[in-house]
Short mmCIF file of all heavy atoms in Angstrom, two decimals:
data_model
loop_
_atom_site.label_atom_id
_atom_site.label_comp_id
_atom_site.label_asym_id
_atom_site.label_seq_id
_atom_site.Cartn_x
_atom_site.Cartn_y
_atom_site.Cartn_z
N ARG A 168 34.86 -8.92 7.44
CA ARG A 168 34.23 -7.86 8.22
C ARG A 168 35.20 -6.78 8.58
O ARG A 168 35.36 -6.34 9.72
CB ARG A 168 33.62 -8.48 9.49
CG ARG A 168 32.55 -9.57 9.20
CD ARG A 168 32.16 -10.32 10.45
NE ARG A 168 31.61 -9.48 11.47
CZ ARG A 168 31.36 -9.88 12.72
NH1 ARG A 168 31.66 -11.11 13.08
NH2 ARG A 168 30.85 -8.98 13.59
N LEU A 169 35.86 -6.30 7.58
CA LEU A 169 36.90 -5.29 7.74
C LEU A 169 36.34 -3.96 8.24
O LEU A 169 35.21 -3.59 7.92
CB LEU A 169 37.66 -5.08 6.41
CG LEU A 169 38.64 -6.17 6.09
CD1 LEU A 169 39.00 -6.15 4.61
CD2 LEU A 169 39.91 -6.02 6.93
N LYS A 170 37.15 -3.28 9.06
CA LYS A 170 36.78 -2.02 9.68
C LYS A 170 37.75 -0.96 9.25
O LYS A 170 38.93 -1.28 8.92
CB LYS A 170 36.76 -2.14 11.19
CG LYS A 170 35.87 -3.25 11.73
CD LYS A 170 36.00 -3.34 13.24
CE LYS A 170 35.13 -4.46 13.81
NZ LYS A 170 35.31 -4.58 15.26
N PRO A 171 37.37 0.31 9.24
CA PRO A 171 38.32 1.37 8.94
C PRO A 171 39.58 1.33 9.75
O PRO A 171 40.65 1.65 9.25
CB PRO A 171 37.51 2.66 9.22
CG PRO A 171 36.09 2.25 8.91
CD PRO A 171 36.02 0.85 9.45
N GLU A 172 39.48 0.92 11.00
CA GLU A 172 40.68 0.86 11.88
C GLU A 172 41.62 -0.29 11.48
O GLU A 172 42.73 -0.36 12.03
CB GLU A 172 40.29 0.73 13.35
CG GLU A 172 39.31 -0.40 13.63
CD GLU A 172 37.85 0.12 13.70
OE1 GLU A 172 37.45 0.93 12.85
OE2 GLU A 172 37.13 -0.29 14.63
N ASP A 173 41.28 -1.08 10.52
CA ASP A 173 42.15 -2.13 10.02
C ASP A 173 43.06 -1.54 8.94
O ASP A 173 43.99 -2.23 8.48
CB ASP A 173 41.37 -3.32 9.43
CG ASP A 173 40.59 -4.07 10.46
OD1 ASP A 173 41.10 -4.32 11.56
OD2 ASP A 173 39.42 -4.45 10.16
N THR A 174 42.83 -0.31 8.50
CA THR A 174 43.64 0.32 7.46
C THR A 174 45.08 0.42 7.94
O THR A 174 45.42 0.94 9.03
CB THR A 174 43.11 1.69 7.16
OG1 THR A 174 41.79 1.58 6.55
CG2 THR A 174 44.03 2.42 6.18
N ALA A 175 45.99 -0.12 7.15
CA ALA A 175 47.43 -0.12 7.48
C ALA A 175 48.21 -0.80 6.36
O ALA A 175 47.63 -1.37 5.43
CB ALA A 175 47.68 -0.88 8.81
N ILE A 176 49.51 -0.73 6.51
CA ILE A 176 50.36 -1.57 5.63
C ILE A 176 50.56 -2.87 6.39
O ILE A 176 50.93 -2.85 7.55
CB ILE A 176 51.72 -0.92 5.34
CG1 ILE A 176 51.53 0.44 4.60
CG2 ILE A 176 52.58 -1.82 4.52
CD1 ILE A 176 52.80 1.22 4.39
N TYR A 177 50.31 -3.95 5.71
CA TYR A 177 50.45 -5.27 6.33
C TYR A 177 51.73 -5.95 5.87
O TYR A 177 52.04 -5.97 4.64
CB TYR A 177 49.24 -6.15 5.95
CG TYR A 177 47.97 -5.78 6.74
CD1 TYR A 177 47.32 -4.58 6.53
CD2 TYR A 177 47.48 -6.64 7.74
CE1 TYR A 177 46.20 -4.23 7.28
CE2 TYR A 177 46.36 -6.33 8.48
CZ TYR A 177 45.73 -5.11 8.23
OH TYR A 177 44.63 -4.77 9.00
N TYR A 178 52.47 -6.51 6.80
CA TYR A 178 53.72 -7.16 6.52
C TYR A 178 53.67 -8.61 7.02
O TYR A 178 53.11 -8.88 8.08
CB TYR A 178 54.88 -6.47 7.23
CG TYR A 178 55.09 -5.02 6.93
CD1 TYR A 178 54.41 -4.01 7.61
CD2 TYR A 178 56.00 -4.68 5.93
CE1 TYR A 178 54.60 -2.70 7.29
CE2 TYR A 178 56.23 -3.30 5.61
CZ TYR A 178 55.52 -2.34 6.33
OH TYR A 178 55.74 -1.00 6.02
N CYS A 179 54.30 -9.52 6.27
CA CYS A 179 54.49 -10.82 6.79
C CYS A 179 55.96 -10.96 7.21
O CYS A 179 56.85 -10.21 6.75
CB CYS A 179 54.16 -11.94 5.76
SG CYS A 179 55.20 -12.01 4.31
N ALA A 180 56.24 -11.83 8.17
CA ALA A 180 57.55 -11.96 8.74
C ALA A 180 57.77 -13.42 9.17
O ALA A 180 56.86 -14.12 9.48
CB ALA A 180 57.74 -11.01 9.92
N ALA A 181 59.07 -13.76 9.27
CA ALA A 181 59.48 -15.11 9.67
C ALA A 181 60.39 -15.00 10.87
O ALA A 181 61.29 -14.15 10.90
CB ALA A 181 60.16 -15.85 8.54
N SER A 182 60.22 -15.88 11.85
CA SER A 182 61.01 -15.85 13.08
C SER A 182 61.59 -17.23 13.39
O SER A 182 60.89 -18.24 13.30
CB SER A 182 60.15 -15.38 14.27
OG SER A 182 60.90 -15.46 15.47
N PRO A 183 62.85 -17.30 13.82
CA PRO A 183 63.45 -18.57 14.21
C PRO A 183 63.33 -18.82 15.71
O PRO A 183 63.86 -19.81 16.20
CB PRO A 183 64.92 -18.35 13.86
CG PRO A 183 65.16 -16.90 14.13
CD PRO A 183 63.85 -16.24 13.76
N ARG A 184 62.66 -17.94 16.43
CA ARG A 184 62.57 -18.08 17.89
C ARG A 184 61.75 -19.34 18.27
O ARG A 184 60.81 -19.75 17.56
CB ARG A 184 61.89 -16.88 18.51
CG ARG A 184 62.56 -15.54 18.16
CD ARG A 184 63.94 -15.44 18.79
NE ARG A 184 64.54 -14.14 18.55
CZ ARG A 184 64.49 -13.13 19.40
NH1 ARG A 184 63.89 -13.25 20.59
NH2 ARG A 184 65.07 -12.00 19.10
N ALA A 185 62.13 -19.92 19.39
CA ALA A 185 61.46 -21.11 19.88
C ALA A 185 60.23 -20.75 20.70
O ALA A 185 59.27 -21.57 20.78
CB ALA A 185 62.43 -21.97 20.72
N LEU A 186 60.23 -19.59 21.33
CA LEU A 186 59.08 -19.12 22.08
C LEU A 186 58.26 -18.17 21.24
O LEU A 186 58.78 -17.49 20.38
CB LEU A 186 59.53 -18.46 23.37
CG LEU A 186 60.37 -19.31 24.32
CD1 LEU A 186 60.78 -18.48 25.54
CD2 LEU A 186 59.59 -20.49 24.77
N LEU A 187 56.98 -18.11 21.49
CA LEU A 187 56.05 -17.30 20.71
C LEU A 187 56.58 -15.85 20.60
O LEU A 187 56.68 -15.15 21.58
CB LEU A 187 54.68 -17.31 21.33
CG LEU A 187 53.61 -16.46 20.65
CD1 LEU A 187 53.34 -17.03 19.25
CD2 LEU A 187 52.32 -16.45 21.50
N PRO A 188 56.88 -15.41 19.35
CA PRO A 188 57.40 -14.04 19.17
C PRO A 188 56.25 -13.10 18.84
O PRO A 188 55.63 -13.21 17.77
CB PRO A 188 58.32 -14.26 17.98
CG PRO A 188 57.72 -15.35 17.18
CD PRO A 188 56.96 -16.24 18.18
N MET A 189 56.02 -12.14 19.69
CA MET A 189 54.94 -11.23 19.54
C MET A 189 55.39 -9.82 19.18
O MET A 189 54.58 -8.92 18.89
CB MET A 189 54.03 -11.18 20.75
CG MET A 189 53.40 -12.51 21.11
SD MET A 189 52.27 -12.43 22.53
CE MET A 189 50.94 -11.41 21.86
N ASN A 190 56.69 -9.58 19.21
CA ASN A 190 57.27 -8.31 18.91
C ASN A 190 57.99 -8.32 17.59
O ASN A 190 58.66 -9.29 17.23
CB ASN A 190 58.23 -7.83 20.03
CG ASN A 190 57.51 -7.73 21.37
OD1 ASN A 190 57.93 -8.39 22.31
ND2 ASN A 190 56.50 -6.90 21.44
N PRO A 191 57.94 -7.21 16.84
CA PRO A 191 58.66 -7.15 15.56
C PRO A 191 60.12 -7.45 15.62
O PRO A 191 60.69 -8.07 14.70
CB PRO A 191 58.43 -5.67 15.10
CG PRO A 191 57.12 -5.33 15.73
CD PRO A 191 57.13 -5.98 17.09
N ASN A 192 60.78 -7.08 16.74
CA ASN A 192 62.23 -7.30 16.83
C ASN A 192 62.59 -8.74 17.01
O ASN A 192 63.78 -9.12 17.05
CB ASN A 192 62.85 -6.46 17.93
CG ASN A 192 62.28 -6.75 19.32
OD1 ASN A 192 61.55 -7.73 19.50
ND2 ASN A 192 62.62 -5.90 20.27
N GLU A 193 61.62 -9.62 17.14
CA GLU A 193 61.88 -11.09 17.25
C GLU A 193 61.76 -11.76 15.89
O GLU A 193 61.90 -12.98 15.85
CB GLU A 193 60.90 -11.70 18.24
CG GLU A 193 61.03 -11.16 19.65
CD GLU A 193 59.99 -11.80 20.58
OE1 GLU A 193 58.84 -11.30 20.64
OE2 GLU A 193 60.33 -12.77 21.29
N TYR A 194 61.59 -11.02 14.83
CA TYR A 194 61.52 -11.55 13.48
C TYR A 194 62.72 -11.10 12.70
O TYR A 194 63.11 -9.91 12.74
CB TYR A 194 60.19 -11.11 12.83
CG TYR A 194 59.00 -11.81 13.40
CD1 TYR A 194 58.46 -11.38 14.61
CD2 TYR A 194 58.40 -12.88 12.78
CE1 TYR A 194 57.37 -12.02 15.20
CE2 TYR A 194 57.30 -13.53 13.32
CZ TYR A 194 56.78 -13.09 14.54
OH TYR A 194 55.71 -13.69 15.06
N ASP A 195 63.31 -12.02 11.95
CA ASP A 195 64.52 -11.74 11.21
C ASP A 195 64.29 -11.34 9.73
O ASP A 195 65.12 -10.71 9.12
CB ASP A 195 65.47 -12.89 11.25
CG ASP A 195 66.03 -13.18 12.64
OD1 ASP A 195 65.98 -12.26 13.48
OD2 ASP A 195 66.49 -14.31 12.88
#
């Protein structure tokens, strides 16, 4: 059910943090 506002470049990332990382700077 994609919407026009979903348009973007999508990135996957991996994080070693123990607490839920919700910010890009928490991913290495």
